[in-house]
Amino acid sequence: MSQLFVSIGECMIELAVTAEGLYRRGFAGDTLNTAWGVRGLSGPDVRVRYLTCVGDDTPSDEMVRFIGDAGIDTRHIGRVPGRPVGLYMIALQGHERTFTYWRDTSAAKLLAADPAMLRAGLAGARCIYFSGITLAILAPEHRATLFEALAEARAAGAMIAFDANVRPRLWAGPDALRAGIEAGYRAATIALPTFPDEAGLFGDATPGDAARRIAGYGVEEIVVKDGAEPCTLVTGGETLSLPAERVDQPLDTTGAGDSFNAGYISARLAGHPPAEAVAHAHRVAAAVIGTRGALLDMAALRVLAAG
């Protein structure tokens, strides 16, 4: 039986530094990275759709073509005449990265401006994924529209997966940030946070503390990522600490968390229990850390799915 996975957010032009010191252009963004991973890790019984808005210029056309060529449904991507897509540049120090962004007038900020278009894109979804960045780029009234649509999808039986992906600079201040992230958790059935984000924002002392707080928002399934440390899984009243995959020669951590999310969601859509989904997610994240850039090619993802 076919299942539909929908990822909502902002895809951007990516400029990533190469070994020669030049920059390579690509397309990426947290929710697109996860959609890409789910597409490569899933069989033909899972359809993957990306919801965003782009402009009417050549880079927007090329972005939509790139997403579509990966086998991701682009039919519900909106067009906003006169608005560009966002751009970011990655700088690496060792295998860690920093980002510089140009996104103030990004078309993606209007992805929830048309309620009918948004609901049409979510119709029939088995799983919907969004992030704290998705929420941060939206005006408050558009954020409310998104939450209404997510509540309707959840009531219809969809899994709602959320990664806080905390980016303080995108929010008006710490109070707005905390309120937005808490609202994201309350909308979700699956939470995929990162412990340092949660500790910095809410003061959690341990991943277990973060998981217990998130459970208090009504989330049924929680996976707290913690880099190379074990992640904490809370589901069905049980708490497990599950080790990460060892990466002997990490090259680039860009997209590691997004790829973990893709591994987890794809495994859950395939019917695997949460603990097995975590193990799969760790393998996917380790493979991404061992390469440059946020996106593994589809052939490599298919090998991971088979193994």
Side-chain angles (χ1 to χ4, degrees):
M1 181 175 168
S2 177
Q3 301 182 87
L4 174 62
F5 170 71
V6 182
S7 187
I8 313 170
E10 181 179 26
C11 180
M12 305 177 73
I13 296 171
E14 176 189 85
L15 297 180
V17 69
T18 67
E20 295 77 25
L22 302 175
Y23 281 86
R24 182 188 71 249
R25 191 199 73 166
F27 298 108
D30 65 335
T31 52
L32 187 276
N33 300 345
T34 298
W36 178 281
V38 172
R39 174 63 285 149
L41 293 164
S42 301
D45 60 319
V46 175
R47 294 174 292 129
V48 177
R49 176 177 297 162
Y50 193 60
L51 291 191
T52 190
C53 280
V54 299
D56 57 353
D57 55 2
T58 298
S60 295
D61 293 341
E62 292 173 344
M63 177 181 288
V64 173
R65 189 178 308 117
F66 172 80
I67 297 170
D69 286 348
I72 297 169
D73 180 3
T74 62
R75 291 173 295 174
H76 295 270
I77 291 179
R79 293 280 188 163
V80 184
R83 286 255 193 167
V85 293
L87 179 148
Y88 69 94
M89 183 173 67
I90 303 171
L92 282 174
Q93 294 181 334
H95 60 270
E96 293 298 334
R97 78 278 195 230
T98 59
F99 299 90
T100 303
Y101 293 93
W102 295 266
R103 72 191 327 164
D104 288 349
T105 59
S106 167
K109 291 187 173 187
L110 299 177
L111 66 85
D114 183 336
M117 184 181 77
L118 177 64
R119 284 172 170 80
L122 297 179
R126 176 70 183 102
C127 180
I128 299 167
Y129 172 74
F130 71 111
S131 76
I133 295 176
T134 309
L135 299 178
I137 66 172
L138 301 180
E141 63 272 21
H142 297 162
R143 201 177 301 144
T145 298
L146 175 59
F147 281 131
E148 289 170 8
L150 291 173
E152 292 170 7
R154 180 173 177 173
M159 297 185 291
I160 310 295
F162 175 65
D163 181 349
N165 218 346
V166 173
R167 297 293 186 272
R169 287 182 295 179
L170 294 178
W171 294 86
D175 291 341
L177 170 55
R178 278 188 289 269
I181 298 305
E182 288 173 351
Y185 284 129
R186 291 192 181 97
T189 62
I190 298 173
L192 297 161
T194 299
F195 174 60
D197 283 353
E198 301 298 312
L201 186 59
F202 294 101
D204 302 311
T206 68
D209 291 338
R212 284 185 286 273
R213 174 180 49 77
I214 294 167
Y217 302 130
V219 186
E220 302 157 9
E221 189 171 320
I222 304 160
V223 184
V224 184
K225 305 184 293 284
D226 194 13
E229 300 301 315
C231 76
T232 299
L233 169 66
V234 176
T235 183
E238 185 179 23
T239 300
L240 298 173
S241 179
L242 300 168
E245 288 273 322
R246 179 181 174 87
V247 181
D248 292 325
Q249 293 184 313
L251 290 179
D252 181 359
T253 57
T254 305
D258 307 329
S259 299
F260 180 101
N261 297 345
Y264 188 84
I265 291 168
S266 63
R268 295 294 284 128
L269 287 172
H272 296 287
E276 290 182 14
V278 167
H280 182 55
H282 274 142
R283 287 193 294 272
V284 176
V288 169
I289 291 169
T291 60
R292 295 198 182 276
L295 302 176
L296 280 180
D297 64 54
M298 287 294 172
L301 289 167
R302 285 190 289 271
V303 169
L304 285 167

